[in-house]
Amino acid sequence: MSPPPGVHAQWSTSGSYQLEHMLETISHLPNRCTTPFSRQSSKNFAIYRLDNYCVHLMPEVRKALLKRGYVLILIGGGITGDC
């Protein structure tokens, strides 16, 4: 199977993703910090919304998102489909 350009696929044998899967996903996000000084201005940042899943609560996820210019917002479990 060959995905189209720009499409990345992941899977897990356990049926649930883990920290390394989440960090891999984040690594494929567009980097919003395009200049060394962009972190000093909020105009380049974007919100990244995730549900209250255990992997999303790990500090490594928040740090990886912030390094790429995303502010993590966690929402309560069970409302993902409503958002």
Side-chain angles (χ1 to χ4, degrees), residues 3-10 24-25 27-29:
V7 174
H8 304 277
Q10 295 185 81
E24 177 72 17
T25 297
S27 75
H28 292 294
L29 291 173

Side-chain angles (χ1 to χ4, degrees), residues 62-79:
R62 187 176 300 273
K63 288 177 189 174
L65 284 166
L66 200 53
K67 280 177 70 172
R68 296 195 68 82
Y70 296 86
V71 177
L72 176 61
I73 303 294
L74 294 170
I75 61 172
I79 65 167

Side-chain angles (χ1 to χ4, degrees), residues 14-81:
S14 69
S16 179
Y17 58 93
Q18 305 199 355
L19 178 60
E20 63 266 17
H21 301 128
M22 192 65 214
L23 295 176
E24 177 72 17
T25 297
I26 293 168
S27 75
H28 292 294
L29 291 173
N31 190 348
R32 300 184 63 84
C33 294
T34 55
T35 66
F37 302 104
S38 64
R39 290 183 183 212
Q40 297 174 359
S41 172
S42 62
K43 70 179 182 177
N44 293 333
F45 281 78
I47 292 174
Y48 200 86
R49 176 182 45 95
L50 294 170
D51 59 359
N52 197 12
Y53 180 63
C54 61
V55 171
H56 303 157
L57 301 173
M58 295 182 173
E60 296 91 338
V61 171
R62 187 176 300 273
K63 288 177 189 174
L65 284 166
L66 200 53
K67 280 177 70 172
R68 296 195 68 82
Y70 296 86
V71 177
L72 176 61
I73 303 294
L74 294 170
I75 61 172
I79 65 167
T80 306

